[in-house]
Amino acid sequence: MTVTRMPSTMLAQAGSTRAGSGYERYFRGALDQLHGERRYRVFADIERISGRFPTAKWRQPDGKTAEITVWCSNDYLGMGQHKEVVAAMTETVARCGVGAGGTRNIAGNNSPLVDLERELADLHGKEAGLVFTSGYVSNQAGISTIAKLIPDCLILSDAFNHNSMIEGVRHSGCAKKIFRHNDLRHLEELLQEAGDRPKLIVFESVYSMDGDVAPIGAICDLADRYGAMTYLDEVHAVGLYGARGGGIAERDGVMHRVDVIEGTLAKGFGCVGGYITASAAICDAVRSFAPGFIFTTALPPAVAAAARASVRYLKRSGVERAAHQRQAAATKAALTEAGLPVLDTETHIVPVMVGDAELCKAAADHLLEHHAIYIQPINYPTVPRGTERLRITPSPFHDAGHIARLAAALSETWQALDLPRAGTVFVEAAE
């Protein structure tokens, strides 16, 4: 059989006459709107260097590469390059291959994944664990499925919850009430109004943009008083807080009081994937009913093995957690001393406020191009308009020299762009 190939010019002409080609204007229009609102996101082309965290290679638009220091990674402890984690992954790849073979519904469980779920259940003191492909999916699938299975469920959601939780609430189809961020009085009012109907309180431990912490024990008190179930997102706390890295709930001694604890393997543990831990019945129900679990290819065995190695290591080692807190405190002190508008936080999150989307992007570009420092700008809708910021995440590997260079680079950038200094009040802009 002879195959005749159409010349590229004819292909282009043919493509332009497709019935759907006229729809392109909608996508161009949406992108134009993002550009006009100064919200279009540009991602730097970065290659991590094994063994040299937080140093990485930045591939510039012209193809040239330069070494940079990354100050915004969510690999908070650098566990993505830890020798035990790397060894677990490479050994399992050699033994099991690369892929998972499909969904668990089709291909079955792979043994490293079963072992990981047991490890996570033990970490949080729960009967069972269930692993998903990402923390986003675990929240979306977990919240929506749990709430759907509770007749007439009312979801009470913190106003600052992550988009993955918001989507989980939305996909549940259940009624919802939003309580003001960390406002116990408002939450109690809503619980009282709900009466005897089933209730699910969904909230986070560490809120990653402002770096504040939920009053977990007090929320559990309200849940007990008004007959509510609790769902806690510990994504920005697992591995980092608690005697074994179980998160803020472990640190505060209240893990046993929370019904469902959700976390990620992609931040403190340095790998990829998300999970929930809860009673055996809850995990089995989500496993059996959640489309986001049933119809998604499982994590590969090597990824599961690496994640388990990281969890196991951080259960026994507190060295990384102590160094992390020490370097975060040192970073805050250095930036505050430099007169920069550092948002006061009680956690490892270090927000430096800018208050304008265009200037925030300009500051990030200036730092990268002039100081070889990478910090991704945080703009709306991740944060409210008027509160745009650079979100800095120190690690145990950012030493005193890194911190001094960061403070100097930020000071020069603030002066060059005439950005607001410490003492400025940042107000959310009206939508």
Side-chain angles (χ1 to χ4, degrees):
M1 181 176 67
T2 301
V3 177
T4 303
R5 298 192 181 277
M6 187 182 296
S8 58
T9 53
M10 294 179 65
L11 282 170
Q13 291 169 359
S16 67
T17 60
R18 291 196 315 272
S21 61
Y23 291 91
E24 288 287 317
R25 68 183 186 275
Y26 299 118
F27 308 117
R28 287 194 294 268
L31 292 171
D32 288 343
Q33 182 176 346
L34 280 182
H35 281 288
E37 295 175 358
R38 303 295 190 267
R39 291 199 295 120
Y40 182 77
R41 298 178 187 226
V42 178
F43 302 144
D45 186 345
I46 292 173
E47 180 179 311
R48 286 154 61 96
I49 304 172
S50 183
R52 296 188 59 198
F53 185 81
T55 301
K57 291 180 181 178
W58 169 42
R59 185 161 60 186
Q60 302 171 51
D62 61 5
K64 295 178 181 178
T65 60
E67 286 197 357
I68 60 171
T69 301
V70 177
W71 271 99
C72 58
S73 174
N74 281 345
D75 186 357
Y76 292 129
L77 302 179
M79 291 301 293
Q81 300 185 18
H82 192 278
K83 62 181 181 180
E84 290 190 23
V85 178
V86 173
M89 175 171 278
T90 53
E91 186 276 328
T92 308
V93 164
R95 190 178 78 249
C96 301
V98 175
T103 67
R104 293 163 78 170
N105 193 47
I106 298 296
N109 290 322
N110 64 69
S111 296
L113 199 46
V114 174
D115 294 340
L116 172 60
E117 288 175 339
R118 290 172 178 161
E119 202 73 55
L120 292 167
D122 174 77
L123 175 67
H124 294 293
K126 302 300 182 188
E127 290 180 343
L130 192 66
V131 169
F132 297 79
T133 51
S134 74
Y136 193 102
V137 175
S138 58
N139 266 337
Q140 186 182 56
I143 293 171
S144 63
T145 304
I146 289 167
K148 278 180 183 177
L149 294 175
I150 301 173
D152 195 32
C153 182
L154 172 68
I155 302 176
L156 302 164
S157 179
D158 188 284
F160 282 15
N161 276 344
H162 188 264
N163 178 265
S164 59
M165 304 181 79
I166 294 169
E167 286 299 299
V169 172
R170 186 172 70 84
H171 281 276
S172 74
C174 296
K176 70 176 187 297
K177 295 285 185 179
I178 310 300
F179 62 93
R180 290 185 293 271
H181 177 53
N182 279 349
D183 190 328
L184 295 172
R185 182 174 297 179
H186 189 213
L187 174 59
E188 184 166 19
E189 289 174 3
L190 296 177
L191 287 166
Q192 289 173 336
E193 290 173 5
D196 293 333
R197 73 184 296 184
K199 298 168 285 289
L200 175 65
I201 306 172
V202 296
F203 62 109
E204 301 180 39
S205 59
V206 174
Y207 290 85
S208 65
M209 290 300 120
D210 288 347
D212 57 341
V213 174
I216 301 173
I219 290 175
C220 288
D221 289 342
L222 291 176
D224 290 345
R225 191 176 307 154
Y226 295 99
M229 183 177 173
T230 50
Y231 181 108
L232 173 64
D233 176 317
E234 287 262 35
V235 160
H236 290 275
V238 289
L240 310 178
Y241 298 89
R244 299 196 308 158
I248 297 293
E250 183 190 26
R251 185 197 71 178
D252 294 353
V254 293
M255 279 199 306
H256 64 288
R257 301 187 63 193
V258 180
D259 294 300
V260 183
I261 295 178
E262 184 267 352
T264 185
L265 303 166
K267 294 181 172 62
F269 297 124
C271 296
V272 67
Y275 65 88
I276 62 168
T277 59
S279 69
I282 291 172
C283 288
D284 197 15
V286 175
R287 181 192 70 87
S288 300
F289 289 95
F293 178 86
I294 296 169
F295 299 107
T296 302
T297 298
L299 285 186
V303 173
R308 183 186 183 221
S310 184
V311 174
R312 293 188 72 177
Y313 175 84
L314 288 172
K315 280 181 179 178
R316 68 177 189 268
S317 175
V319 173
E320 291 76 14
R321 283 187 286 278
H324 183 229
Q325 291 297 316
R326 184 172 60 249
Q327 296 312 96
T331 302
K332 292 176 186 177
L335 301 189
T336 300
E337 186 177 350
L340 294 159
V342 180
L343 187 66
D344 186 30
T345 75
E346 59 182 292
T347 61
H348 58 282
I349 307 295
V350 186
V352 181
M353 305 301 289
V354 178
D356 178 89
E358 195 166 1
L359 289 174
C360 197
K361 175 67 166 58
D365 289 345
H366 187 88
L367 286 165
L368 186 58
E369 294 164 6
H370 294 273
H371 299 283
I373 287 175
Y374 174 62
I375 307 173
Q376 180 73 357
I378 306 295
N379 295 333
Y380 177 85
T382 306
V383 295
R385 288 188 176 94
T387 68
E388 292 83 359
R389 66 199 66 183
L390 299 179
R391 176 182 174 273
I392 295 169
T393 54
S395 78
F397 298 96
H398 289 93
D399 60 25
H402 287 117
I403 294 171
R405 288 189 290 275
L406 174 68
L410 285 168
S411 294
E412 188 280 329
T413 300
W414 250 245
Q415 183 175 356
L417 299 179
D418 192 25
L419 298 177
R421 308 294 295 196
T424 303
V425 177
F426 295 89
V427 181
E428 296 180 16
E431 293 297 324

